[in-house]
Amino acid sequence: MRKVLKALARPFTETAGLARWMLVIGLVITAIFLICALFAPWLAPYGFDQTSAHGTEFVKRQAPSGDHLFGTDRLLFDVLSRTIWGARTAIEVVVLSIVICVAVGVPVGLVSGYYGGWIDRILVLVMDALFAFPSFLLAIVFAFLLTNKLPPGGFSGVLAVSLSLSVIYIPQYFRVVRNTTVSAKEATYVEAARAIGASDGVIMRRYLFGNVVQSVPVIGTLNAADAILTLAGLGFLGLGIQSTDAAEWGHDLNRALADAGSGVWWTGLYPGLAIVLLVTGLTLVGEGLNETLNPTLRRRRLLPVVMTPREEER
């Protein structure tokens, strides 16, 4: 437990100045959205698809008031509730996509970089082919292919979007881990492990894995910010999560386009502001971690040195 707490406190104890403030501000913003995602049933005044309460139907496009702090949209949904529930959808999609990327990209990159040869050439070719496509266009293609292909249910839309995002981010994890493994496998400690008879699996698991995944948290945090924008883009185009399945900020912005010309500003302001704030928070966390974990950018905290006057010799 002491080692875990020390590792968690490392970004704060070993950095100072702008990097530390970026990390703290980013964590605070991200923590607010995490709280909204975890406690959405208790924080949101209504359900994400609720259109009435106590037997009374909501008023269409009602301005912000005491009953609806963020107003209502043209489908009678409460905007505040949709915004809070949208945080849960965004966190679910981001976490699931990053888990899939790490589970696939890290082992494949480790195997490719360690063995090399024809395995490395085939995997590099496949990953470079995926990386060559525009990321958003590739996400649109996979989202279109996965639409109505998964078992029906409220979670099917989240899973389909998560798989679409994973396809565009797996090559990044692969390339980073593979390049690090190529240089790390020639290190002295790896040669010593081979000399004592360690198998390839043991070498990759015990000696290489811990050294090649140090950049993965930074990549995951930055990819999370980009995933929020991609998710919103897919929802805006109607390829993401539908209104009846879950609350999604991009889909709400799409519906808000029809309201912009009639002076209804609240249906698009709050979902858009949520996207901007969460992307900003995740980006600040990623930049702060990058300056903490990257030795070329890291600025360590220096303890003040106090020089005490030496006593005069008697």
Side-chain angles (χ1 to χ4, degrees):
M1 181 63 67
R2 183 180 299 176
K3 292 182 179 180
V4 173
L5 294 177
K6 185 177 180 180
L8 293 176
R10 178 186 171 189
F12 303 98
T13 58
E14 294 190 359
T15 56
L18 183 60
R20 189 181 184 187
W21 279 109
M22 286 194 303
L23 185 60
V24 171
I25 295 174
L27 286 175
V28 170
I29 297 175
T30 306
I32 293 174
F33 283 93
L34 284 175
I35 293 174
C36 291
L38 293 175
F39 302 101
W42 296 275
L43 294 177
Y46 308 102
F48 68 89
D49 57 350
Q50 186 174 347
T51 58
S52 63
H54 308 292
T56 303
E57 195 174 57
F58 296 155
V59 179
K60 181 187 294 186
R61 296 176 179 174
Q62 181 180 350
S65 61
D67 296 331
H68 303 279
L69 296 180
F70 288 179
T72 60
D73 59 10
R74 60 186 178 91
L75 296 181
L76 308 182
F77 295 145
D78 181 68
V79 178
L80 175 59
S81 301
R82 296 280 300 181
T83 304
I84 295 176
W85 282 98
R88 167 171 286 194
T89 304
I91 298 299
E92 286 178 349
V93 171
V94 168
V95 171
L96 185 57
S97 62
I98 291 179
V99 168
I100 296 174
C101 290
V102 173
V104 176
V106 172
V108 173
L110 189 60
V111 170
S112 177
Y114 182 79
Y115 287 108
W118 63 270
I119 297 178
D120 182 52
R121 293 180 182 178
I122 293 176
L123 291 175
V124 169
L125 179 62
V126 173
M127 295 300 173
D128 286 348
L130 292 175
F131 199 76
F133 281 94
S135 59
F136 188 64
L137 178 60
L138 190 63
I140 291 176
V141 172
F142 274 87
F144 179 77
L145 293 176
L146 293 174
T147 302
N148 299 326
K149 299 299 188 300
L150 298 176
F155 192 71
S156 61
V158 173
L159 181 59
V161 176
S162 301
L163 292 174
S164 303
L165 296 178
S166 301
V167 172
I168 65 178
Y169 295 131
I170 284 176
Q172 299 183 22
Y173 292 85
F174 169 82
R175 296 177 70 177
V176 171
V177 174
R178 183 254 178 194
N179 294 338
T180 309
T181 304
V182 169
S183 58
K185 71 178 182 179
E186 305 297 336
T188 306
Y189 63 90
V190 177
E191 296 293 338
R194 292 196 186 99
I196 62 176
S199 62
D200 293 340
V202 173
I203 292 175
M204 286 188 289
R205 184 176 67 254
R206 297 187 58 183
Y207 297 97
L208 289 177
F209 179 78
N211 293 315
V212 301
V213 298
Q214 294 183 1
S215 299
V216 170
V218 178
I219 300 174
T221 308
L222 296 176
N223 283 346
D226 187 68
I228 296 296
L229 294 176
T230 307
L231 171 64
L234 292 176
F236 188 82
L237 295 176
L239 297 174
I241 302 168
Q242 302 302 316
S243 302
T244 56
D245 296 334
E248 202 277 309
W249 296 327
H251 193 71
D252 292 346
L253 286 178
N254 185 14
R255 295 201 314 271
L257 283 178
D259 301 332
S262 57
V264 180
W265 52 268
W266 54 87
T267 57
L269 173 64
Y270 298 109
L273 188 61
I275 295 173
V276 172
L277 289 177
L278 183 54
V279 171
T280 302
L282 291 173
T283 303
L284 290 176
V285 172
E287 293 296 335
L289 287 177
N290 187 32
E291 296 200 16
T292 301
L293 301 178
N294 193 339
T296 61
L297 300 176
R298 182 167 55 214
R299 293 182 57 190
R300 297 181 179 272
R301 293 184 62 192
L302 300 178
L303 297 177
V305 179
V306 179
M307 302 295 295
T308 58
R310 189 175 59 178
E311 296 182 0
E312 297 181 0
E313 297 181 0
R314 295 183 179 179

